[in-house]
Amino acid sequence: MALSVGIVGLPNVGKSTLFNALTRSKQANVQNYPFCTIDPNVGVVEVPDERLTKLAEVSKSKKIIPTIIEFVDIAGLVTGASKGEGLGNKFLSHIREVDAIVQVVRAFSDTNVVNTQGKVDPKADAEIINIELAMADLSTVQKRIEALKSAVKNPTNKEAPRQIEVSEKICQALERGQPARSVQMTDEEKELIRDLNLLTIKPVLYVLNTDENKSSENPKIDENAEQIEISAKLEAELADLPQNEAREYLKSLGMLESGLDKLIKANYKLLNLITFLTSGEPETRAWTIRNGAKARDAAGVIHTDFIKGFIKADVIGWQDFVAYGGWPHLKESGKMRLEGKEYVVQDGDVIYFHVGV
């Protein structure tokens, strides 16, 4: 399942520094001036999962394959982007292509880095971006409503009245300054407006880029969205170290995990994803599925032919898999379950699928 997260923000808030640390690369330009990033940088990042190593030890696996998320570093946005100011049109087109948004806001005080807003105010910075995204969506929805008013005159177009109803509901929310994701919609209604690819309907996570030694509490940006605090500068330093040295450095700072690990896991949650696992001698592997997916759909993530050929699945929680020594010893343990195609897969399930050809 290929999923992408767009890293967005005003110029010089640390987006590209964070991206480079995430991907352990130098591909994103981090010069100290606005719009040093023009075309988006794309990086694939492994989702940290300590369960894989434990499963691989039990199964004596030859290799370990974690699941991944794609991060996209998108050009900085400015006031007026919805009308094409700065790199607005490019920014908006790039962000339409991602599944979720990480909005980076400046909460660090380094005077050596140009502050395009003149002062450190994370909430105000976020508001600029949110207004621009909402204005772009408002224009999109208004154009759709006008087009639908003509379409509704055609009696064969059965969906047009419902599309107008949903579009007007979203339009009203946007006019009140609320994002499209705040509108209560049924699955059917979401499908009716899916092709609009609205910016404010995407899930969002706020990342406050703080000083290395944070000394004060930061404001809550949005009561209806998650936010985390990361020092992009510190994460860049950690990314330059060998993994064992980075772990020791983290311990010396009293941190259990890096900010990047925290960010990756937060995005996994943001996208409503869970992981199921497969484990054997050839490989131990993590697989990404939507929370609530059933066993047959999970089998299809491994190979689409498995959906049609699905027969049954052996299922066990990863902790029991480790405790009882893997597949050879599980049948006698009584812990392994035989599940059918309607079983709802749980995070951390280790599964062996039985399929017919």
Side-chain angles (χ1 to χ4, degrees):
M1 179 182 287
L3 294 158
S4 62
V5 176
I7 303 177
V8 305
L10 299 175
N12 292 4
V13 297
K15 296 183 299 81
S16 295
T17 300
L18 188 63
F19 174 84
N20 285 340
L22 265 173
T23 57
R24 291 182 173 268
S25 74
K26 301 294 183 185
Q27 67 185 74
N29 199 329
V30 291
Q31 297 300 315
N32 185 19
Y33 55 85
F35 307 129
C36 63
T37 299
I38 297 177
D39 294 320
N41 301 292
V42 180
V44 175
V45 178
E46 295 179 354
V47 177
D49 194 335
E50 63 276 6
R51 298 173 296 190
L52 291 171
T53 303
K54 295 177 181 177
L55 292 174
E57 287 174 357
V58 168
S59 298
K60 296 181 173 56
S61 303
K62 291 183 174 65
K63 58 182 176 179
I64 295 174
I65 305 175
T67 191
I68 58 172
I69 293 181
E70 182 180 271
F71 282 90
V72 184
D73 177 34
I74 298 173
L77 174 146
V78 295
T79 301
S82 59
K83 298 177 182 177
E85 295 293 330
L87 297 170
N89 292 329
K90 279 193 173 185
F91 174 95
L92 297 174
S93 66
H94 293 149
I95 200 172
R96 287 189 195 282
E97 298 170 7
V98 301
D99 298 295
I101 299 170
V102 165
Q103 190 179 140
V104 181
V105 292
R106 180 168 178 159
F108 64 88
S109 55
D110 189 346
T111 55
N112 293 317
V113 179
V114 175
N115 189 334
T116 58
Q117 299 311 111
K119 63 176 181 177
V120 177
D121 190 340
K123 202 163 186 176
D125 288 0
E127 189 174 348
I128 290 172
I129 292 180
N130 291 333
I131 288 172
E132 293 302 327
L133 298 183
M135 288 176 68
D137 276 354
L138 184 59
S139 175
T140 299
V141 174
Q142 287 173 336
K143 288 175 184 175
R144 168 57 62 87
I145 291 172
E146 287 306 309
L148 287 169
K149 284 179 179 176
S150 299
V152 78
K153 295 174 185 176
N154 182 349
T156 61
N157 191 331
K158 304 296 184 182
E159 285 191 341
R162 289 285 291 129
Q163 287 177 318
I164 289 178
E165 183 183 338
V166 179
S167 297
E168 287 181 337
K169 189 160 58 170
I170 292 171
C171 188
Q172 290 166 8
L174 292 167
E175 288 173 337
R176 293 193 301 267
Q178 298 171 338
R181 62 181 165 272
S182 68
V183 178
Q184 294 294 318
M185 287 183 281
T186 64
D187 289 341
E188 179 198 2
E189 289 174 325
K190 289 176 183 176
E191 196 59 40
L192 289 171
I193 54 93
R194 185 180 299 280
D195 65 318
L196 291 178
N197 206 8
L198 297 175
L199 303 168
T200 65
I201 208 165
K202 299 177 187 293
V204 64
L205 169 73
Y206 292 97
V207 173
L208 276 67
N209 185 7
T210 66
D211 292 311
E212 289 181 86
N213 299 308
K214 188 174 78 73
S215 58
S216 60
E217 289 300 312
N218 286 303
K220 179 71 174 172
I221 303 292
D222 183 345
E223 292 301 326
N224 297 310
E226 292 293 322
Q227 75 179 45
I228 61 176
E229 297 184 358
I230 292 178
S231 167
K233 186 177 179 181
L234 172 61
E235 297 303 322
E237 291 171 4
L238 289 167
D240 283 339
L241 296 174
Q243 287 193 352
N244 60 331
E245 290 183 26
R247 282 194 293 269
E248 288 303 314
Y249 189 17
L250 278 174
K251 285 182 183 178
S252 72
L253 296 172
M255 297 169 63
L256 297 177
E257 63 178 350
S258 72
L260 296 184
D261 284 353
K262 187 166 60 172
L263 173 60
I264 295 166
K265 290 176 182 177
N267 275 285
Y268 213 64
K269 181 181 177 183
L270 180 69
L271 288 162
N272 194 30
L273 304 176
I274 62 170
T275 300
F276 76 89
L277 309 145
T278 54
S279 188
E281 189 176 344
E283 67 179 33
T284 288
R285 183 164 182 166
W287 303 88
T288 301
I289 54 172
R290 296 283 184 189
N291 192 8
K294 295 181 179 179
R296 186 166 62 175
D297 298 319
V301 172
I302 297 176
H303 198 294
T304 52
D305 289 349
F306 286 10
I307 297 175
K308 187 176 180 180
F310 182 95
I311 299 172
K312 60 184 179 179
D314 297 330
V315 181
I316 183 141
W318 76 272
Q319 289 170 312
D320 285 334
F321 185 94
V322 172
Y324 287 91
W327 293 120
H329 310 287
L330 284 171
K331 287 185 179 178
E332 57 208 54
S333 73
K335 292 287 184 178
M336 190 177 73
R337 308 186 308 278
L338 192 62
E339 301 287 0
K341 62 184 179 181
E342 294 299 312
Y343 170 71
V344 177
V345 177
Q346 303 299 304
D347 185 66
D349 277 348
V350 183
I351 306 179
Y352 181 87
F353 294 103
H354 298 266
V355 294
V357 291

